[in-house]
């Protein structure tokens, strides 16, 4: 019989290998031999997952009062999962936990158990916590049954935190230091409390990376306040349950003097306050809702939002509609990617070229949207959907060297744009066009081919 070379490896190496394996398989290695009997208890990364929604939340023709019902065998699987996590953490010993990943669907009565798991991880000096806990609970329960334990906010070893739950509230303590070592925070929150989002993102002294995904209601005023002296990357995505004609009271405040990258995606715009964004170099703005332009105060809010990106060197914009007067001057912009829809007349491209005198690289992508086609389909074949500029933008004359057009349908107004760019791009080295059918073609101006 050949030698078992893997079993001869040091404990540290075996633990590292097992760190890439889900916990339920890691524990099974204990039956391999005496050598492996206790290795699993020292693996630094624990990955627990129980995510079968149809099993946990089985909808029946005659449901229970809360609309869902557990079947005996499904409940047994879930109880088995809970007991398994209990055992793994109980026999953990004194070894630290580098990362705990817990993704599960559960019942309201499991709250105390999950609270215990979180506290156990922090007693083992956890460095990274990835927590995704979802539950179905009776409608008469007004608030989630579990508060994030205080130890999460005060832990000195926690560096990375990911939270997504309709089961847990995230409100930090009102006093004392919070997240002293946290550098990366990724949060998904649905229908937050009025002031919880104002507190959570303003108590992170060394935070460098922040991602927020939120579903925001229209029945109360929301304040998302980000104040982080070391923040470098910020991503914000918002989904809104509102009527576009209403004045949506929804505030975003950002104060981040070291912020380098800012990505924001919204259906309806909010009120904005931006301070100390002097380091911002790269930005992304995605206004993805077709009817968002019907919102009261849209132009004023779009102006305030886009002003925050006036000093960036790279910018991505995806919009169904932005008025000409909403754009600031982008004097430092060298790379631009613009996504347009059928409801737009391509005039946003003209305005951006005018506002970006130092632009060197341009990518324009056309995307289809069913609502846009239904509303504007009867005029898509009109060349009047793009107006020739009265004067040639400075960037076309002196700086713009590469242009890429994607998703082209060769509408008359699109052909008009292409001819204009080719004719007036005095320093243009190359234009690449990708049609909607997948075909593409490179155009190299004669002046470039002679050099």
């Amino acid at each position: 019989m050949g030698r078992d070379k893997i079993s001869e490896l040091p404990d540290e190496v075996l633990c590292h290998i097992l760190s890439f394996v889900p916990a339920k398989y890691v524990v099974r290695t204990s039956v391999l031999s005496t050598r492996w009997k206790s290795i699993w208890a020292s693996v630094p990364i624990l990955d627990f997952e129980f995510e079968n929604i149809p099993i946990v939340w089985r909808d029946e023709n005659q449901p229970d009062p809360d609309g869902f019902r557990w079947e005996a065998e499904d409940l047994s699987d879930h109880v088995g999962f809970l007991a398994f996590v209990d055992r793994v953490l109980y026999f953990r010993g004194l070894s630290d936990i580098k990362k705990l990943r817990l993704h599960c669907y559960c019942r309201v009565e499991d709250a105390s158990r999950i609270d215990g798991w979180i506290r156990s991880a922090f007693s083992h000096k956890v460095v990274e916590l990835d927590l995704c806990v979802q539950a179905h609970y009776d409608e008469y329960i007004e608030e989630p049954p579990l508060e994030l334990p205080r130890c999460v906010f005060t832990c000195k070893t926690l560096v990375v935190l990911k939270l997504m739950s309709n089961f847990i509230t995230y409100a930090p303590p009102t006093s004392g230091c919070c997240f002293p070592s946290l550098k990366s925070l990724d949060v998904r929150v649905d229908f937050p409390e009025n002031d919880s989002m104002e507190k959570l993102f303003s108590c992170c002294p060394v935070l460098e990376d922040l991602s927020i995904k939120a579903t925001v209601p229209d029945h109360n005023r929301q304040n998302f306040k980000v104040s982080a002296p070391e923040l470098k990357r910020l991503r914000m995505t918002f989904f809104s349950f509102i009527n576009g004609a209403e004045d949506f009271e929804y505030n975003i405040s950002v104060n981040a003097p070291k912020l380098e990258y800012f990505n924001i995606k919204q259906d309806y715009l909010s009120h904005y306050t931006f301070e100390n964004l002097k380091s911002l170099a790269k930005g992304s703005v995605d206004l993805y809702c077709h009817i968002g332009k019907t919102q009261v105060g849209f132009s004023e809010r779009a102006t305030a939002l886009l002003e925050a990106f006036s000093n960036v060197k790279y910018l991505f914009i995806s919009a169904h509609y932005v008025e000409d007067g909403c754009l600031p001057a982008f004097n430092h912009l060298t790379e631009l990617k613009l996504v347009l829809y059928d409801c737009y007349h391509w005039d946003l491209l003209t305005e951006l070229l005018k506002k970006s005198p130092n632009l060197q690289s341009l990518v324009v992508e056309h995307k289809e949207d069913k609502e846009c086609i239904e509303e504007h389909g009867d005029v898509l074949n009109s060349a009047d959907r793009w107006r020739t500029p009265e004067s040639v933008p400075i960037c076309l004359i002196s700086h713009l060297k590469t242009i890429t057009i994607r998703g082209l349908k060769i509408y008359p107004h699109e052909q008009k744009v292409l001819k204009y760019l080719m004719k007036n791009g005095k320093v243009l080295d190359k234009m690449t066009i990708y049609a909607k059918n997948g075909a593409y073609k490179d155009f190299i101006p004669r002046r470039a081919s002679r050099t």
Side-chain angles (χ1 to χ4, degrees):
M1 182 179 294
R3 290 171 55 193
D4 181 1
K5 295 183 179 181
I6 294 181
S7 296
E8 293 177 357
L9 294 172
D11 286 4
E12 295 78 8
V13 176
L14 294 178
C15 286
H16 178 72
I17 295 172
L18 292 177
S19 294
F20 299 95
V21 181
K24 62 182 179 180
Y25 300 119
V26 171
V27 174
R28 293 177 187 176
T29 62
S30 62
V31 302
L32 295 176
S33 67
T34 303
R35 172 75 178 89
W36 289 85
K37 187 174 182 180
S38 59
I39 293 293
W40 66 271
S42 300
V43 174
I45 296 178
L46 299 178
D47 185 349
F48 301 108
E49 182 171 322
F50 186 84
E51 290 194 300
N52 197 334
I53 302 177
I55 290 178
V56 180
W57 296 348
R58 186 180 298 279
D59 193 359
E60 299 290 344
N61 294 327
Q62 296 180 341
D64 287 347
D66 65 349
F68 295 89
R69 177 171 157 185
W70 289 70
E71 292 190 357
E73 66 272 20
D74 303 331
L75 180 59
S76 176
D77 289 343
H78 180 64
V79 171
F81 170 78
L82 300 178
F84 172 72
V85 178
D86 283 342
R87 289 196 302 273
V88 171
L89 294 176
Y90 179 79
F91 289 107
R92 181 70 193 175
L94 299 177
S95 58
D96 293 343
I97 296 176
K98 182 179 179 181
K99 177 181 177 180
L100 172 64
R101 178 181 180 270
L102 175 62
H103 285 210
C104 66
Y105 289 89
C106 58
R107 303 163 299 168
V108 171
E109 52 264 41
D110 300 326
S112 61
R113 211 162 189 169
I114 293 172
D115 179 81
W117 296 345
I118 296 172
R119 293 178 187 274
S120 177
F122 281 89
S123 70
H124 287 86
K125 301 179 181 180
V126 68
V127 176
E128 181 176 348
L129 177 63
D130 182 352
L131 194 63
C132 178
V133 181
Q134 304 290 338
H136 177 76
Y137 48 89
D138 296 343
E139 295 181 358
Y140 64 81
I141 298 180
E142 297 180 357
E143 298 181 358
L146 179 61
E147 291 186 5
L148 206 60
R150 184 181 178 87
C151 60
V152 177
F153 299 98
T154 59
C155 179
K156 294 181 180 180
T157 61
L158 186 65
V159 176
V160 179
L161 177 60
K162 298 180 181 180
L163 294 171
M164 184 173 74
S165 181
N166 64 353
F167 191 77
I168 303 172
T169 57
Y170 309 147
T174 56
S175 61
C177 179
C178 291
F179 297 128
S181 303
L182 191 67
K183 291 190 175 182
S184 178
L185 176 60
D186 187 335
V187 174
R188 170 65 191 261
V189 58
D190 294 326
F191 309 112
E193 298 177 3
N194 290 0
D195 60 350
S196 61
M197 297 299 97
E198 188 169 0
K199 295 177 181 177
L200 182 61
F201 307 122
S202 298
C203 61
C204 307
V206 297
L207 189 67
E208 296 180 357
D209 195 303
L210 173 60
S211 296
I212 304 169
K213 290 184 179 180
T215 302
V216 186
D218 64 349
H219 59 268
N220 59 353
R221 191 181 187 93
Q222 299 292 327
N223 296 307
F224 289 83
K225 181 179 180 181
V226 176
S227 180
E230 301 297 324
L231 190 65
K232 295 180 181 179
R233 293 167 295 277
L234 174 61
R235 290 167 290 274
M236 309 178 85
T237 301
F238 295 94
F239 310 94
S240 310
F241 286 134
I242 68 169
N243 182 335
E246 296 179 357
D247 183 16
F248 190 31
E249 295 300 326
Y250 168 23
N251 302 316
I252 293 176
S253 172
V254 178
N255 186 338
K258 295 186 179 181
L259 190 66
E260 299 172 358
Y261 173 69
F262 184 17
N263 180 320
I264 187 166
K265 181 177 181 179
Q266 292 182 279
D267 45 7
Y268 293 92
L269 302 186
S270 52
H271 297 287
Y272 306 94
T273 303
F274 297 111
E275 299 178 63
N276 297 324
L277 299 189
K278 56 187 178 182
S279 300
L280 192 62
K282 187 175 183 179
S284 176
V285 180
D286 186 353
L287 309 181
Y288 63 89
C289 182
H290 173 69
I291 62 173
K293 61 186 178 182
T294 64
Q295 180 185 7
V296 173
F298 176 87
S299 295
E300 293 80 4
R301 298 182 187 193
T303 300
L305 173 60
L306 293 170
E307 179 63 35
F309 298 89
S310 60
N311 291 319
V312 299
K313 294 181 178 180
Y314 172 88
L315 181 62
F316 169 90
I317 296 182
S318 176
H320 286 258
Y321 178 78
V322 176
E323 290 184 356
D324 299 347
C326 296
L327 295 174
F330 296 102
N331 292 325
H332 303 286
L333 189 65
T334 58
E335 296 182 48
L336 171 65
K337 180 174 180 180
L338 177 63
V339 176
L340 297 175
Y341 299 83
D342 286 318
C343 56
Y344 215 98
H345 295 195
W346 284 62
D347 289 329
L348 179 57
L349 172 60
T350 303
E351 293 305 312
L352 282 167
L353 292 176
K354 290 180 181 178
K355 298 282 189 176
S356 309
N358 295 301
L359 189 67
Q360 298 177 17
S361 174
L362 171 66
V363 177
V364 181
E365 181 176 353
H366 170 266
K367 281 191 175 181
E368 289 186 339
D369 185 287
K370 185 178 180 181
E371 291 183 272
C372 298
I373 295 175
E374 290 176 352
E375 185 174 336
H376 300 277
D378 56 337
V379 295
L380 290 179
N381 287 311
S382 171
D384 295 334
R385 285 180 59 80
W386 185 73
R387 297 170 293 178
T388 303
E390 295 180 359
S391 60
V392 180
I394 294 175
C395 66
L396 272 175
I397 298 173
S398 58
H399 289 92
L400 191 57
K401 295 183 178 181
T402 62
I403 298 175
T404 302
I405 311 291
R406 299 180 182 275
L408 210 64
K409 286 190 172 181
I410 318 298
Y411 289 129
H413 63 281
E414 293 177 336
Q415 297 179 46
K416 192 176 177 182
V417 172
L418 297 180
K419 291 177 181 179
Y420 179 84
L421 293 175
M422 285 290 293
K423 178 181 178 182
N424 293 284
K426 302 303 181 183
V427 297
L428 187 64
D429 292 334
K430 183 179 179 181
M431 177 186 286
T432 303
I433 299 173
Y434 295 85
K436 195 67 180 177
N437 61 10
Y440 76 95
K441 185 174 181 62
D442 290 330
F443 294 90
I444 300 176
R446 292 179 181 177
R447 56 184 172 278
S449 62
R450 293 196 301 265
T451 60

